[in-house]
Amino acid sequence: MTNHTQRALELLRLGSGNPNAKFREGQEEAICHIAEGRGRLLVVQKTGWGKSFVYFIATKLLRESGNGPALLVSPLLALMRNQIAAAERMGLRAVTINSDNQDEWTEVEAALARNEVDILLISPERLANERFRTEVLAGIAGQIALLVIDEAHCISDWGHDFRPHYRLLERIVRTLPPNLRLLATTATANNRVMDDLAAVLGPNLVVSRGDLHRPSLTLQTMRLPSQAERLAWLAEQVVALVGHGIIYTLTVRDAGLVADWLKSRGLNVEAYTGETGERRVELEQALLGNRVKALVATTALGMGFDKPDLAFVIHYQTPGSVVAYYQQVGRAGRALDAAYGVLLSGEEETDITDFFIESAFPTRDEVAAVLNALEAAPQGLSVPELLVKVNISKGRIAVSYTHLRAHETKANLVCRLLLE
């Protein structure tokens, strides 16, 4: 064993808290691939395999060798909080710049300038922020040793909950030096997604792909058309389940409905949605510490939430895609011999999914109206000015602009839309 791999093993044991931990198949090879600068790498491995160990250990090795910090693009705040905690266990100085910690931005930016940050975590939306690009990213771009794209399938997952700003990575990757280390990770990538990622991340992308089967996870599907039937089933079965888990719903309204119903039946549960606000961290910690039986959650508690002993994931309604289902049910049973995923389905979920699809993407007429108004205004338009020019709501204008920004279109040349 070389000093390089010996140090990687020491870091694995430190980060996992297990003095006897050993690398899973493919982990050590992926770490060495990145640390030694062998080219761009896509890691496709099942949930719980330890993809975060690959980029954290590689980052630590690079920093100990005198290299600059890593930049990690991650999709959800809940996931970022998990990642920061995991990085710190390994002795990495991890920070984030996001919409929830604006009071910390000045301090974080100063630490970056002093080279006191090992890894910076951002959401893909931050890449569209002019201030971040010009005042933060531009200042450290020359020092970044590793770009990590977590949950990389988001680049190619074009469902209603698609994150358009992930497509901005395509333009960023094109401008990277050929020798800059790039690591993309995901647990969900079919052949279509793989082809798309190869096109976006580079033709010389090396793929490390493992078995996605989870033998500890037992799956079941049940058709219960009415919400009343599903609520009754939950009240009877959740109390009997061993351990703690997550119950996923498609809407904020249903998360509240299910949580209130189960509370009325004496169960210790809480709703967790995009509207939970400042209680998000508190509720995440409550589940991690087994102080609630379950969180009733929307996709706000999705990719990457890390509770190794999560015993069950129940879907109150069928998710909008197989990718979403695999990501969510994969939260369960990472460190258990047996865990359960129960997929309930009903009569309303198709209507809900159709509504999300119809409202998530701009129509041709909306895009044309925005483009025409902007092309007629050489100096650009603010959102209030654009509202006067077109008969479209502020929300629909934002949807149109966001999706235009995700593509190489003439919109990128004519738009100086002030969304911030």
Side-chain angles (χ1 to χ4, degrees):
M1 182 178 290
T2 67
N3 290 337
H4 213 173
T5 56
Q6 177 61 42
R7 178 58 177 152
L9 184 60
E10 292 171 0
L11 292 169
L12 174 71
R13 291 172 175 173
L14 179 65
S16 65
N18 179 3
N20 299 312
K22 296 181 180 179
F23 285 114
R24 293 192 169 117
E25 184 178 355
Q27 276 183 322
E28 183 181 343
E29 292 80 3
I31 292 166
C32 291
H33 185 105
I34 294 301
E36 295 170 8
R38 299 181 199 164
R40 299 176 181 182
L41 179 67
L42 169 63
V43 173
V44 184
Q45 295 284 356
K46 61 190 173 187
T47 55
W49 175 82
K51 294 180 286 295
S52 61
F53 279 125
V54 172
Y55 47 76
F56 287 143
I57 292 174
T59 296
K60 187 70 171 176
L61 292 174
L62 289 168
R63 290 295 276 166
E64 290 178 348
S65 299
N67 290 279
L71 178 65
L72 170 59
V73 179
S74 187
L76 295 173
L77 290 179
L79 174 53
M80 286 188 199
R81 287 190 279 268
N82 281 167
Q83 289 166 326
I84 288 174
E88 290 175 346
R89 286 195 297 270
M90 205 172 294
L92 284 167
R93 296 168 295 183
V95 299
T96 180
I97 294 177
N98 63 67
S99 57
D100 277 9
N101 73 337
Q102 293 188 30
D103 56 335
E104 300 173 12
W105 286 5
T106 300
E107 180 182 344
V108 169
E109 291 166 15
L112 283 165
R114 296 192 301 266
N115 195 28
E116 294 175 356
V117 171
D118 296 322
I119 185 164
L120 172 64
L121 292 82
I122 63 168
S123 71
E125 284 75 14
R126 197 66 17 203
L127 297 171
N129 183 286
E130 183 69 21
R131 180 186 177 279
F132 175 79
R133 291 200 312 270
T134 59
E135 298 184 23
V136 181
L137 190 57
I140 62 171
Q143 287 76 49
I144 292 174
L146 169 63
L147 173 63
V148 181
I149 304 170
D150 200 19
E151 307 297 351
H153 65 276
C154 291
I155 292 174
S156 183
D157 185 11
W158 289 84
H160 65 77
D161 55 353
F162 168 61
R163 301 286 288 272
H165 288 97
Y166 255 91
R167 296 300 290 199
L168 295 176
L169 287 164
E170 182 170 5
R171 267 167 268 164
I172 289 175
V173 168
R174 286 181 194 166
T175 66
L176 295 177
N179 61 342
L180 178 70
R181 296 169 177 86
L182 184 151
L183 171 65
T185 66
T186 182
T188 45
N190 56 26
N191 289 336
R192 176 188 60 79
V193 173
M194 294 282 284
D195 291 343
D196 208 5
L197 291 178
V200 170
L201 302 179
N204 297 320
L205 187 69
V206 176
V207 179
S208 171
R209 189 170 192 172
D211 180 8
L212 302 184
H213 179 54
R214 292 279 304 281
S216 66
L217 191 55
T218 300
L219 304 180
Q220 180 181 9
T221 62
M222 297 180 64
R223 177 73 177 174
L224 298 173
S226 74
Q227 296 212 27
E229 290 175 285
R230 274 170 278 143
L231 290 171
W233 185 92
L234 288 171
E236 180 178 331
Q237 297 299 325
V238 173
V239 70
L241 287 170
V242 175
H244 307 263
I246 300 172
I247 302 169
Y248 280 109
T249 67
L250 288 178
T251 69
V252 172
R253 175 188 173 278
D254 284 331
L257 172 71
V258 172
D260 288 345
W261 162 251
L262 292 179
K263 284 180 181 180
S264 75
R265 310 310 297 169
L267 282 161
N268 182 15
V269 303
E270 294 286 348
Y272 183 107
T273 73
E275 298 180 4
T276 300
E278 294 181 357
R279 292 198 67 210
R280 279 191 178 193
V281 176
E282 173 193 341
L283 294 181
E284 290 165 21
Q285 292 301 315
L287 181 57
L288 290 170
N290 295 330
R291 296 190 296 275
V292 292
K293 180 66 175 180
L295 291 183
V296 184
T298 62
T299 55
L301 186 73
M303 294 175 286
F305 179 77
D306 187 15
K307 177 176 169 61
D309 62 343
L310 196 75
F312 61 88
V313 168
I314 298 171
H315 283 85
Y316 181 67
Q317 294 135 333
T318 301
S321 71
V322 173
V323 169
Y325 175 71
Y326 185 87
Q327 284 285 342
Q328 291 165 8
V329 78
R331 302 302 106 218
R334 293 182 171 194
L336 297 175
D337 293 333
Y340 300 93
V342 181
L343 174 63
L344 305 179
S345 64
E347 58 191 9
E348 80 278 5
E349 56 209 21
T350 300
D351 290 339
I352 293 173
T353 301
D354 286 347
F355 170 78
F356 283 147
I357 291 171
E358 290 167 4
S359 60
F361 293 92
T363 66
R364 289 179 180 271
D365 289 343
E366 288 170 339
V367 171
V370 170
L371 281 175
N372 290 337
L374 290 168
E375 287 182 322
Q379 301 307 310
L381 295 169
S382 67
V383 170
E385 291 169 337
L386 194 52
L387 283 168
V388 174
K389 301 287 185 181
V390 298
N391 185 26
I392 305 174
S393 70
K394 182 177 179 180
R396 298 307 296 167
I397 289 173
V399 168
S400 300
Y401 181 69
T402 297
H403 282 79
L404 285 169
R405 286 291 301 272
H407 300 276
E408 292 290 349
T409 70
K410 61 181 178 179
N412 295 315
L413 301 177
V414 302
C415 288
R416 285 194 292 273
L417 189 56
L418 307 179
L419 287 174
E420 307 189 66

